[in-house]
Amino acid sequence: MATMHDVARLAQVSVSTVSYVLTGTRPISQATRDKVLAAMAELDYQPNAMARGLASRRSRILGLLMPMDERGLGATETAFVTGAAAAASSAGYHLVLSPVGGGDLDDLRRLASQRMLDGVVLMEVQLADERVTVLQETGVPLVLIGRTADTSTLSYVDIDFDQTVREAVAHLVGLGHRRIVYVNHSAATLASGYGPALRTRDAFVAAMTGHGLDPVMIAAEDSAAGGRAALAAAFARAPELTAVLAMNETAIFGILGELTGRGLSVPGDVSVVSMVTSPQVAELATPALTAMTSPGSALGRIAIEALVRHLDGPAVERHLDGPAVERHQQLLPCALEVRGSTAPPRSRRPVGADQ
């Protein structure tokens, strides 16, 4: 097997020159580069990836930090990962998935201090996310999928929750619905400052108020049982409800089950819209769910592309100075896909009314 010394001997250059050609750490004339590359081709030299990483102080490994629980990844979350992985591979990087959440700051500090990752993409972002502070303090380049409250110094891609909720509500109102309940994530998730839960809560209030309607939001645990309990709470607060908007994929099937258990049909008695959902999940239900489809794959791809530009761009050496790096800040809305779970409301007696 050919070595770097063999390449240097054939190209009639020093070993350090071969190293510079491989790592790009110093400028090399095009003529010398061509000689080295020709020697490598003739000898079928395969450079050692670890050696190149040590020489350039780059691992060519990116981290996707995504908190997970015992449920693992569903189809919607997986789309973020596959989009990110494909973009990393196209740029010549490997992607490592790490389940680091807000409660794992010591683990994150250890991970950052080991310098195994050239940069990270951070998911499931809270408005005040301490992971961002840790990564900034340790000098690890990062891009968010999500937003903190203050994004002035950060690169991010995120869902445009204002537009997404506005279009979901407009779809239901356009069908004639006036009593719409929003099923959000859990009260604990809201209290933790989870960005999507808080932004959709506020967007729902704004959208409903804009139509002159009363906004009713129910917090639901992320489980089928949580969905059933949330629907029961929704009927207790709004017995005449005719539509449910939900951003809780785990709870949505409990909501559908509870409607069936109450003898109510979808969409005949109650229309249902699932928000930030993949087509795979939407089509598991019967009828298939009208959904605001998540742009997860695109968000994963764009986040990695922005991170790679930070790493490989001309300002990379000044990254820690802040202003030298161009910030990438972009919002993408979910797309409305109408399936079988929404229709104009028909008159029925409010749940709980005397028969």
Side-chain angles (χ1 to χ4, degrees), residues 33-287:
R33 182 183 300 276
D34 289 343
K35 281 202 306 180
V36 171
L37 293 177
M40 289 171 58
E42 182 176 336
L43 295 171
D44 193 24
Y45 173 67
Q46 302 296 322
N48 181 280
M50 182 65 74
R52 279 190 295 166
L54 290 172
S56 64
R57 298 184 181 180
R58 298 279 293 277
S59 67
R60 308 297 294 184
I61 299 174
L62 305 177
L64 181 62
L65 308 189
M66 183 177 186
M68 289 182 285
D69 57 23
E70 64 278 0
R71 293 180 290 110
L73 296 180
T76 302
E77 296 92 345
T78 299
F80 288 89
V81 178
T82 55
S89 178
S90 296
Y93 285 84
H94 296 288
L95 185 71
V96 173
L97 180 62
S98 180
V100 177
D104 304 320
L105 297 182
D106 289 340
D107 288 343
L108 181 57
R109 287 189 183 93
R110 282 192 291 271
L111 180 64
S113 66
Q114 292 169 355
R115 301 295 174 186
M116 294 175 59
L117 304 176
D118 288 344
V120 303
V121 171
L122 197 63
M123 291 190 63
E124 301 296 306
V125 177
Q126 298 176 344
L127 295 186
D129 201 311
E130 293 182 278
R131 294 175 299 167
V132 173
T133 302
V134 169
L135 291 168
Q136 289 178 322
E137 288 175 348
T138 53
V140 177
L142 75 153
V143 173
L144 310 183
I145 298 180
R147 285 167 285 163
T148 54
D150 179 6
T151 59
S152 57
T153 63
L154 295 169
S155 288
Y156 67 80
V157 291
D158 197 7
I159 291 172
D160 187 333
F161 291 107
D162 288 341
Q163 181 176 338
T164 295
V165 174
R166 187 166 58 246
E167 290 183 0
V169 170
H171 170 65
L172 292 170
V173 171
L175 290 172
H177 294 277
R178 295 295 178 268
R179 200 58 167 148
I180 303 166
V181 171
Y182 174 41
V183 177
N184 203 333
H185 286 286
S186 69
T189 299
L190 286 159
S192 74
Y194 180 53
L198 294 172
R199 289 192 168 94
T200 54
R201 178 198 64 186
D202 296 343
F204 179 70
V205 171
M208 291 290 284
T209 303
H211 288 286
L213 303 174
D214 182 28
V216 176
M217 189 200 80
I218 304 293
E221 297 296 326
D222 293 351
S223 65
R228 290 191 290 270
L231 190 70
F235 276 125
R237 289 181 56 184
E240 68 280 22
L241 76 86
T242 62
V244 174
L245 172 64
M247 189 183 69
N248 190 323
E249 275 189 352
T250 311
I252 193 76
F253 292 97
I255 292 170
L256 296 173
E258 182 69 12
L259 287 169
T260 299
R262 290 171 177 261
L264 299 173
S265 67
V266 176
D269 295 306
V270 177
S271 287
V272 177
V273 175
S274 185
M275 199 160 58
V276 192
T277 298
S278 67
Q280 295 92 328
V281 172
E283 291 167 5
L284 286 175
T286 303

